[in-house]
Amino acid sequence: HGHFPIEWRKVAEHESLSDFRPHHVKWRKLRKGESTDGIPPAHLRRQGRDMYRADRVPARYEGLAQGDKVAMILGGSGDSFAGALARRGMQIGARVFRIPPFHFQEQRDSDDKNLDAKRLAELLQEKQKLFYEAAGDRDLALIQVRERYRARVDAMKERIACEQRLRARIIGELFRGDDYPEGTVEEEFDRQKANDVILQALLKEESRRDSELIKSLDRLDLYHKLFKPVQGLGPMQSARLFAAIIDFRRFIVEPDPERMRQLYEESQRLEQEGRLEADIGKVEDRITKATTPFQVLQMVRSWKRRIGKHAQASLLDRAIECHEERARLRHKAKQQTAAKLRRYCGVHVLSDGTFPRRRRGQVANWHPDARQGLYLLGDQFGMYRANSGSEWSEFFKLAKIHFRGRHPEPETIDGKQRYTDAHIFKMARWRTLTQFVSQMAQAYLALERGEKISGIHPPKRVAAEGQAVA
C-alpha cells in the first residue's frame, strides 16, 4: 500500500505523531535520571517502570507502485503474500510473477541464499518465460484454496493428536485402576470424547475449515469445469490435487515456436502460389459451418487435380504437408504436457516398464500429496459399481478385465506370487489413475483454448472384447 518505511529522521519538537502509524514510530528508553521537562506529553509513554520518548519517524516510504514487477517463488509459505500483492497489483497496474523452485534452483549461480532476491530480479528481466504471472480471479482463488486446504489439514492433525492423547490417557487410567474392566476401553473412549471440551472445540474448528474450503472451491472455475463433474472426486480430494499441482501452466509444453513460424510462412506462400483464395468459390457448395479451413484446402486441392491443374495441386499438397507437420508438433507438445504432469503426480511408467514406487537407490521425485490423493481417488473408482453411472469406475472394471485377460492365472516370479486378484486390482487402479491424469492435462489444455469442458472423461478407445486399451 506504499507505507513501508525505508528512511527515518529525528522527531521535530512539538511535532504531531498522529500523522504517522503507531507501529512506525521508534521510541527511545530514557536513561535513569533523564529529565522529561519540555517534552510534549504526546512524545512520552510509560511501559511498566520505564519511560520512553518518541525518537524517530519515517522520512520516506516504499511500496508497490504502478508499473512494478514482483519476482517470487511459486508455492510455499509466500502464497498469501503473493495473493495480496497480486490483488493490489490488479488495482494499481503492478504485476506479480512466480517461478517454480526447480527452475530457480537450475538458474542459481551461488549457494549464498542472501543473493536469491537479487537473482530473482535478474531472472525476471532476463528470462521472464520461466515465470508465471499471478493475475486474475483464477490465480487468486487457487491461492486461497491452497491456504485453506493447509488450514484444514492443520486442524485435522490437531484433532487426531487430541484423540490419540485422550485414548492413551484412558488406557493408562484403566491400567492403574484396581479392577480393570474388560472390553470397556472403546466405550469409555466414546464417552469421554463426547464430553471433552478441547476435542469438541477442535471438531468445530475442523468443521469450520471444511466449510471455508468448500466455499473457496465454489469460487474456482477450474473446480466446476474439471473436477466437480467427476463422480467419486469430492471437494477435499479436489483441494488436495489443486494444492499439490499449484499451477497447471507450469506443465504446459509449447511446440518449437521457430519451426511453427517457418511452417506457417511456408504454407502461406504455397497457398498463395497455388491460388487457393481465388478458387475457393469453386467448392462453395460443399462448405458448411462445420468445415474447417484445412478441409477447404483439401477440397480445393482435389478440385484442381480433377480439372488438370496438377502444378497448383502439387503446391497445395506441400501446403497440406506443412499444416500436418504443425499438427504433429502440437500433438507431440500435448503428449509431453501430459507426461510432465504424470511424472509430477507419480503415476508415470519408468523406462523399464515398471511402475514407480519408493525403491532403494532411486529418486522418488514426485509430489507425495498428489500421489496420495490419486491413490485415494483410485479407491473411490474401485468402490463404485459399474452401473452407478461413473465413467471412471467402468474404465477401472475394463482395466481389470484387460489385465486378467493377459494374465489368466497367478504366477510365481522370483519367489513372489504375481497376478493374484489383489495384484490385478492394483494394476488396474494405477492404469486408471495414469489415464485420469493424462485426460486431466488434455482437459486443461482444452480450457486454455477456450473450449467448453464438463469434467474429465476416460479415453473412448475400447477393444472389441471389452478390454481397456493400453
Side-chain angles (χ1 to χ4, degrees):
H1 291 280
H3 297 293
F4 184 75
I6 57 174
E7 287 185 8
W8 307 82
R9 61 173 176 81
K10 282 284 188 180
V11 178
E13 189 176 357
H14 303 294
E15 183 176 11
S16 174
L17 298 182
S18 61
D19 297 334
F20 305 95
R21 296 169 184 260
H23 60 285
H24 285 171
V25 179
K26 291 187 175 183
W27 298 81
R28 179 178 65 83
K29 182 179 177 181
L30 295 180
R31 295 183 294 273
K32 188 175 182 180
E34 186 175 351
S35 174
T36 59
D37 295 341
I39 302 177
H43 289 199
L44 293 171
R45 74 177 183 185
R46 180 181 293 278
Q47 288 185 355
R49 297 181 179 181
D50 299 324
M51 183 69 72
Y52 290 82
R53 174 182 182 176
D55 185 50
R56 293 178 179 274
V57 292
R60 192 159 68 92
Y61 295 93
E62 178 63 287
L64 199 63
Q66 184 177 5
D68 281 354
K69 292 182 179 180
V70 181
M72 299 183 66
I73 297 294
L74 178 66
S77 59
D79 267 358
S80 295
F81 188 40
L85 290 171
R87 186 176 62 254
R88 178 65 175 165
M90 291 166 62
Q91 299 171 355
I92 64 174
R95 304 169 71 185
V96 177
F97 296 88
R98 300 189 293 168
I99 182 172
F102 58 89
H103 281 333
F104 181 64
Q105 185 68 27
E106 293 171 354
Q107 301 295 326
R108 289 179 70 187
D109 47 16
S110 172
D111 292 333
D112 187 359
K113 292 187 176 181
N114 294 324
L115 300 177
D116 283 355
K118 179 182 177 182
R119 185 58 182 152
L120 273 172
E122 293 172 347
L123 280 176
L124 185 58
Q125 289 180 317
E126 300 167 1
K127 301 179 180 180
Q128 186 170 314
K129 289 184 178 180
L130 295 177
F131 290 77
Y132 301 95
E133 185 174 2
D137 295 335
R138 176 183 292 178
D139 293 307
L140 296 181
L142 273 171
I143 290 174
Q144 188 178 60
V145 167
R146 280 175 54 81
E147 292 304 311
R148 289 189 170 177
Y149 174 75
R150 289 174 182 164
R152 188 250 179 184
V153 170
D154 290 340
M156 182 177 62
K157 288 181 177 178
E158 290 296 329
R159 186 260 303 165
I160 294 173
C162 182
E163 288 181 342
Q164 290 173 337
R165 291 193 301 268
L166 182 61
R167 183 183 178 87
R169 188 173 72 247
I170 291 171
I171 294 175
E173 289 174 354
L174 291 174
F175 282 166
R176 292 192 301 271
D178 294 335
D179 182 21
Y180 177 69
E182 292 290 342
T184 62
V185 174
E186 294 300 330
E187 295 175 2
E188 182 66 15
F189 182 47
D190 291 338
R191 186 184 67 79
Q192 293 203 25
K193 275 201 307 183
N195 295 283
D196 190 86
V197 177
I198 297 176
L199 178 58
Q200 293 303 315
L202 290 173
L203 286 170
K204 289 181 180 178
E205 181 193 6
E206 185 177 359
S207 177
R208 186 169 65 251
R209 299 304 178 204
D210 288 348
S211 178
E212 291 173 351
L213 179 56
I214 292 173
K215 289 180 180 178
S216 298
L217 284 170
D218 283 337
R219 289 193 287 268
L220 183 61
D221 64 328
L222 286 179
Y223 172 64
H224 289 280
K225 294 176 180 177
L226 289 180
F227 290 164
K228 191 173 182 179
V230 179
Q231 190 172 358
L233 181 55
M236 298 308 160
Q237 291 298 85
S238 299
R240 184 196 294 264
L241 291 176
F242 280 130
I245 293 173
I246 306 177
D247 193 331
F248 280 95
R249 292 175 296 179
R250 63 197 181 114
F251 300 100
I252 296 178
V253 176
E254 299 289 352
D256 183 6
E258 181 62 23
R259 182 57 181 162
M260 293 289 284
R261 183 189 62 80
Q262 293 174 356
L263 290 169
Y264 177 76
E265 292 177 353
E266 179 68 8
S267 66
Q268 292 298 300
R269 182 187 67 81
L270 292 168
E271 289 174 11
Q272 186 176 5
E273 293 180 3
R275 296 181 56 80
L276 171 66
E277 292 293 334
D279 291 330
I280 285 181
K282 307 298 184 181
V283 295
E284 276 184 343
D285 57 325
R286 298 166 55 193
I287 297 177
T288 65
K289 291 183 179 180
T291 307
T292 65
F294 183 70
Q295 291 171 332
V296 172
L297 173 59
Q298 291 176 313
M299 291 176 185
V300 174
R301 182 273 316 269
S302 300
W303 175 81
K304 287 179 179 291
R305 181 160 287 127
R306 255 193 333 266
I307 66 172
K309 295 183 177 181
H310 297 291
Q312 293 181 4
S314 297
L315 292 171
L316 296 185
D317 277 336
R318 288 160 55 193
I320 289 173
E321 290 174 0
C322 290
H323 287 296
E324 288 175 342
E325 185 175 349
R326 281 167 54 88
R328 284 194 296 271
L329 291 174
R330 283 192 292 265
H331 178 73
K332 183 179 179 181
K334 289 180 184 179
Q335 297 302 314
Q336 291 174 334
T337 298
K340 283 182 66 176
L341 186 57
R342 288 197 301 269
R343 286 195 299 271
Y344 181 81
C345 295
V347 293
H348 58 295
V349 178
L350 300 177
S351 57
D352 60 357
T354 61
F355 196 78
R357 60 185 178 90
R358 293 188 180 276
R359 294 181 175 91
R360 183 177 298 176
Q362 292 185 5
V363 178
N365 56 351
W366 55 79
H367 196 288
D369 284 347
R371 181 165 166 133
Q372 183 182 21
L374 289 168
Y375 179 89
L376 296 174
L377 178 60
D379 280 346
Q380 291 294 319
F381 291 155
M383 288 167 57
Y384 276 94
R385 294 183 179 179
N387 57 6
S388 65
S390 172
E391 297 177 304
W392 287 103
S393 294
E394 178 67 19
F395 187 90
F396 190 104
K397 175 186 175 183
L398 295 177
K400 287 196 293 184
I401 295 173
H402 169 68
F403 285 120
R404 180 51 77 196
R406 291 177 57 184
H407 307 283
E409 298 294 336
E411 302 175 20
T412 301
I413 302 176
D414 297 332
K416 294 182 179 180
Q417 192 79 355
R418 303 287 188 183
Y419 308 119
T420 61
D421 289 343
H423 189 196
I424 292 294
F425 183 90
K426 291 178 181 179
M427 293 171 67
R429 173 171 55 196
W430 288 117
R431 169 61 57 82
T432 303
L433 294 176
T434 298
Q435 288 290 347
F436 178 81
V437 174
S438 297
Q439 297 303 115
M440 177 169 61
Q442 300 301 330
Y444 180 79
L445 290 174
L447 278 178
E448 289 291 287
R449 296 193 299 268
E451 299 178 15
K452 291 184 178 180
I453 297 298
S454 178
I456 302 169
H457 306 285
K460 297 180 179 178
R461 293 177 298 127
V462 177
E465 299 84 5
Q467 299 176 353
V469 176

